[in-house]
Structure formats: C-alpha cells, structure tokens
Amino acid sequence: MLLNNSPVKMLHSPSVRFSTDHSIPTHAFHGTYLSVLTFHKQSVRFSHPTYGLHFTNSVFGHHLIEILAKQKGYLNTSPKVFAKRNDNIEHERGCSKPQTDDEVLPSVMVASGDIQSPEKPDMVVVASDPHLSLNLTQGILEDPINRVNLLDKLKAIHLHLLAMEQWNSSSLKLCHRTYLASATNLIHYLALKCLDVEQLKEDLSSVGLLSLESINANVLASITAGIQMLENLKACLLNSEDDEGDDNSTLSGSDCSKKTQFSMTTMRKKASSHRDSLLGTTIFRINCAHGDTSVWSNIIGSLKKNSQMLEKPCKILMDLAGPKLRTDPAKTGPCVMKISPKRDARGNIIFPAQVWLSHAESGAIPAHLNADALLSINDQEFLNNLEVGNILRFSDARGKRRMLKISQKIPIFAGIGCMAECLRTSYVESGTKFYLKGRKGKLSVGRVEGVPAVEHFIKLRVGDLLIISRDTCLTEQDTSVGSTDVAPRITCSSSLLFDSVKPGEPIAFDDGKIWGVIQGTSISEIIVSITHASLKGSKLGSGKSINIPESDIRFEGLTSKDLMDLDFVAAHANMVGISFIQDVHDVVILRNELEKRKLLNLGIVLKIETQSGFENLPLLLLQAMQSPNPLGVMIARGDLAVECGWERLADIQEEILSICGAAHVPVIWATQVLESLVKSGLPSRAEITDVATGRRASCIMLNKGKHISEAVSALDSILHCNSKKVKAKLKPLVMSSHLF
C-alpha cells in the first residue's frame, strides 16, 4: 500500500521478508531498518526507517503484492513480490495464530518508507497488494465486480487497523481504563493516516458510501459500517434469495465484540465525557509567566466572588511558564496614569475623557460602558455620596489643577460606580486626592489607589541594531542615559539563548511582531539586526517572547519555577497548562509530579507550540492517557506559527484537530481570536471566519482587551448561530415553465 509522508511520528513496526518468486527462498530482514531488496534484478533501497503492517486474512489471496512507483503524482506498476511469515523467527511466529483450513492464510508484512531506485533516483517505490492497492488507476465503479473489489479494500483496511492495534497493544495496556477506547481509536486513526487513500475516497464517493474525511472519532466503526453496506449491496446484486436471509457479515466473533466496543455511539459518548470532565463551563486562564502568587490570589478571589454573585460556575486554568525564552522584567516607572480627552487635527477637544470611578472590591465596570481610564477609590462611602453633576477637584502629578464632572451614577455588584468626564489632560497617580465640596462648605475626600506602574519599552524599526544582554545593570544604564548613538538593550537571563544561537540565524520577538537576524554572539551579548517591524516602529518591553526557530535548542521539561508554581496551581486551579511541551519525557516528569502530590483530578492541558510538540502529539497523548487526569490540548498558535512557519499554520492546526478528534481529547483554540474586536471594537472579516473554523474545537480562548465584553458577546453569537435559520432566510429558486 502507498503510505503518506506524514510529519506525525508513528509507532511500533515488525520485521519484513520478501522474495521475488515462489520458487526462490525468502530472506528475512530483522528490525525496523531495511537495507537492500532485489526485485527481478533491480536493486532498490529504503532511504528511511520503515514500518511494517501485519495482516492475516484470505483477502491477500496468493500473497502477491505489487510494487508501485510514485513519480510526480502518477503511479507506475513494477515487479510483483511474494511475502509470507517466517516461522523460524520467534517474533513473527508468536504474532499470528496457527493456520488451519478454515482460517486465514499466512500473514503479510508490508513495509512503508521511501524506496529509491538507483536507476531512477527521483522515483519513490512502495509495496502494495493488488487486492489492497488503494490508489490503482481504476475508473468509477461501474459494475458489481468493481464494487466487490472495493469491499476487499475496505476489509483490508479493517485488518490493517486491527494489525496496528495488535502491534501497539503493549502501549495500550498502559493506558488508564478511562482512555483505553479513545487511545485505541487514535491507533486506528494513525493506521488509516499512513495509507494513501485518495483513490479509495473517490471510489467510496462514487457509490455513495462513507467519507473518510469525517470518521476520525470512530474509525473502526465507520469502516465496519462501510463493509456491512457493501456486503448488503453485494447480496442485492447477486439477487440470491438464500443470502437475503443470512448474515452476510464476514466479521469474526471478536470483530463483532469490537464493533460494539467501538461503536459510533460509544465513541461519541467518550468524546463528550472527556470534554465535560475537563471543560464543561466558562474558563478563566491565568498565565504564570506574569505576576506572582499574591497577584494570582487577588485575581482568583475576585473571580470566585463574581462567579457566586452571577451564579455562574467558572473553572480556572493556570498555564505554567515553562522553559519559554522571554525578555526579563525591566525597571518599572512611576505609578501614573495619563488621562486625555479626544481632540481633532487642530487640537480642539471633541469629546471629554471618560473616567470610571469605583471601589476595588465593588466589581468590574458594566459591559455596556466604555471608559478611557479606570480609577480605584479607597472609600466606598465617598462614592455613595456622589451625585450626577458633582465636581471633583484635584491636583495632578505635575501640580496642575484639574477637575472631574460626574455624568453617571450606576449600581454595580457590591456598591456604586460613577462615570466622570475630564476636559483637560491630567496625570493621576496613586495617592491623588479628589475633593468634593458639600452644602455647608464641608469637604469630603476620596483617595486614588492601585494605579499600575508605567512599563519601560524600546521602539525598534527595520535596520536598527538590538543588543540582548545577560547583565541587567548595563541595560538600566543605557536606558537612563537615553543616548541615540547607543544601540538599545534588552535583557534575557536564560543561558540557553546564549549557548544555542549562531550568527545568521533568525530570531523573533513578541510572537513574531518583530524579526531580526543574529549578527554576532559572545558569552554575555547577542547583536541582532532588525529585519521586520512596523513602519512607525514596534514596541518591545519586558516579558515578551523570544523565538529562535532554526536553532538546536533543547528545553528542559518543567523548570524549577514550574514545580514551585504547581503547588499553588494544585490548591487553586481546576487544570494546569504545560507550556512548550516537546516529547514524552516531559509528560513522564509531569505525571510523576502529579502522582507525588496525589493530583489525580487536576486537568492537564498540553500546549502545542513547537515543531517537535506537533510531531510527537500522538505519543504525547498516549503517554498522558496512562493517568486518569482529565486531558486536553491547546493549539497555541502564537509560538506555533513562529516556530513552524506562518504558511504551515493552517495545515498544522487542522492536523491537530484531527488527531485530537480521533483520541477524543478536547481542543482549546487559542491566540489572536477576534483580536481586532477585542482591541479596537471592530472585527476583521478574517477573524469571523477564523472563529467559525474554531467551532470544530471544544473551547475558544479570548485574550484581554478594552472591548473584551463585546468580543465575548460576538463570540457567543457566532458559536451558537443556527445554520437552519440562515438557510431559512435564503429565497427559494422559482422554476419558470419557460425553461421546459
């Protein structure tokens, strides 16, 4: 059979033996790697590790398999090869039952991988059986004989799925019983994916049978159903009255039990159960790469209070920072907020700045309001006494006299909030006092608190040089001097960055918003020439991502910070996100840490954001399924696009959805969802269709922004849009009698 060159890594494979004729003794090839096979005096080589597929069924007839040469999209028929089981090899003898007259013929092991012909090096030769060949150049199935041939092909695929399940039985036995059926279906999906079934898809479509594109969640049951339908069709074509009353199924008793075990209904229930156990409701995500335990505690406390008030449950997902490279925190500026009214091109005020005043514990600003600034007042009683039209006077951080006029007074969850208007630019800092003059000249005072510190950043343009330094002191000195002759500096304390990069390699910052090429390296510095940034310059601040997609860097699984944060996550969150996961070893470490803490109910979300994480996804899922913890996958499209390439992102996310669908693992669709709407209040057309595509996932994640409330409403409308209502609004075609 032709096998696809899929980037996703497959699993175990048996040994293979071939000979060119029944009269020629066969030669055994041990292990996974094959060297040279001789086909009628033509030498061919396997250029990559090969995978064997073990079959035992009479569909193979006399064990004649056909070599197909694939060159630039078309197929050429090459010599035929005879294959059978080697009873002298213990491994092969033990993997098949003894043959009887009533049972199937000896097993056939078909090798996958590229076979290069020395005479035609641009050819790829692979093995297949004439009964099994899924892409022979046949036309549409026009007669019963071709339909019978199609039935044989489906039966061969059915055996292929069971063979792959058998060869991976040791891995499946390690899976927790909760995930056993799902893990088995994943093996069936991978077995089907390794075959070239394009022609078979057309053949099935021509007779109106199942689509292989939509059977990921129930592979074996769908193939079995297809076989059953073709057998029924075969009986009708033969017009045999005896066959009409008999059971036409050729499935064995064990196959029938599998039919029940892996039925479509059972598989759908598994997928639904896994989704509900992990997700099931609204989720709030906290990124442990930012803030500390005190900040997280405040966020969680406020979240739980609002959840109780609204009587809406909300789960908490906390992403461990992982080994991701980031710019180090820079020295923060003063805790000052600039408030500016909107002006026209001449500088005239066209609309006053909207300032929301509330107590820190009273709740968030109502969703229907938009404010230019949010200020927290220390005294709730001060806010309760305010009335519409009141004037609050204050001196800003520069000593300038300013005022706010109360325009609205609105009850919120646990108190009163007020919207005020400001007609002149002001700089408000923590500790600023607002004065309200009473009826008898008595002043009441409200003090501003919790104004966030101003973050320092550098602005980069194409052609600029940037220095990445290990020394924080040097970075602070250069920033304070402010000289335009010195290249700007950022700090990254990770030794992995300085040990891995080489001159000429690309480097990206802030999820690919800024790109550069490494010009030089030393023990303590890296010089980067900026090659991509916005025309007006792109800002680069602290805590921004650094990606080096072409460097040979090997991240550790869980960092020491992750292990400390995991204790907090276990006490406060419902699920933990594992960032930058790359191979099975990372999952093993995670499982060990969870078992130490006896965290068998904590949900696990594997964040796929690297090339190796994507390629190892089936193995990662099988390893994670060995524990009973609820399991999910996040498509972290920010880093994934930078690491794998923008042009590959669409195909990669489709493949992840397919793999997770086969494993019945819920998927979180993340990064830049409705980003324009969240930031500016107006979505792009592409964002709407992106969300529509994301409906295939189990959960869609939005990032914070000024218009997050509108984005949540829009997302809810798109996700729950009823296609039947849309179709009902389409005007029906009116057929005119003049056309006939």
Side-chain angles (χ1 to χ4, degrees), residues 351-363:
F351 196 75
Q354 303 296 302
V355 182
W356 175 254
L357 307 176
S358 65
H359 190 265
E361 298 181 356
S362 61

Side-chain angles (χ1 to χ4, degrees), residues 581-650:
I581 193 162
Q582 300 199 76
D583 56 34
V584 174
H585 179 68
D586 298 339
V587 181
V588 172
I589 294 176
L590 172 66
R591 289 185 57 233
N592 291 338
E593 294 298 329
L594 295 179
E595 289 175 1
K596 286 180 184 177
R597 295 165 173 79
K598 298 181 180 180
L599 302 175
L600 300 182
N601 296 320
L602 182 67
I604 299 173
V605 177
L606 306 179
K607 296 179 64 179
I608 306 302
E609 43 197 336
T610 64
Q611 178 73 24
S612 58
F614 164 65
E615 292 178 351
N616 290 314
L617 180 56
L619 301 177
L620 295 175
L621 293 176
L622 289 174
Q623 183 66 40
M625 285 177 172
Q626 294 181 20
S627 65
N629 299 70
L631 178 63
V633 166
M634 177 185 290
I635 308 178
R637 301 186 295 176
D639 285 295
L640 191 61
V642 177
E643 292 283 332
C644 300
W646 306 99
E647 66 281 357
R648 296 187 58 208
L649 179 60

Side-chain angles (χ1 to χ4, degrees), residues 5 41 56 160 242 286 452 493 627 674 718:
N5 295 325
K41 300 182 181 180
T56 54
H160 171 43
D242 294 335
I286 298 176
S493 57
S627 65
L674 296 177
I718 296 171

Side-chain angles (χ1 to χ4, degrees), residues 253-288:
S254 61
D255 290 337
C256 291
S257 65
K258 281 185 174 292
K259 182 178 178 181
T260 303
Q261 183 182 1
F262 299 106
S263 67
M264 296 183 186
T265 302
T266 302
M267 295 294 98
R268 281 195 291 267
K269 288 182 179 179
K270 282 289 182 182
S272 177
S273 173
H274 295 167
R275 181 183 65 247
D276 294 341
S277 63
L278 181 73
L279 307 173
T281 183
T282 301
I283 301 169
F284 191 91
R285 171 180 172 262
I286 298 176
N287 191 348
C288 295

Side-chain angles (χ1 to χ4, degrees), residues 177-217:
R177 62 180 181 275
T178 304
Y179 293 110
L180 181 57
S182 300
T184 306
N185 190 71
L186 175 59
I187 296 296
H188 295 159
Y189 166 80
L190 296 173
L192 182 63
K193 283 288 290 184
C194 77
L195 302 175
D196 188 353
V197 292
E198 292 303 318
Q199 183 63 46
L200 180 61
K201 292 178 183 177
E202 296 181 11
D203 294 346
L204 290 171
S205 176
S206 69
V207 294
L209 288 180
L210 75 160
S211 169
L212 297 182
E213 299 288 350
S214 58
I215 67 172
N216 298 347

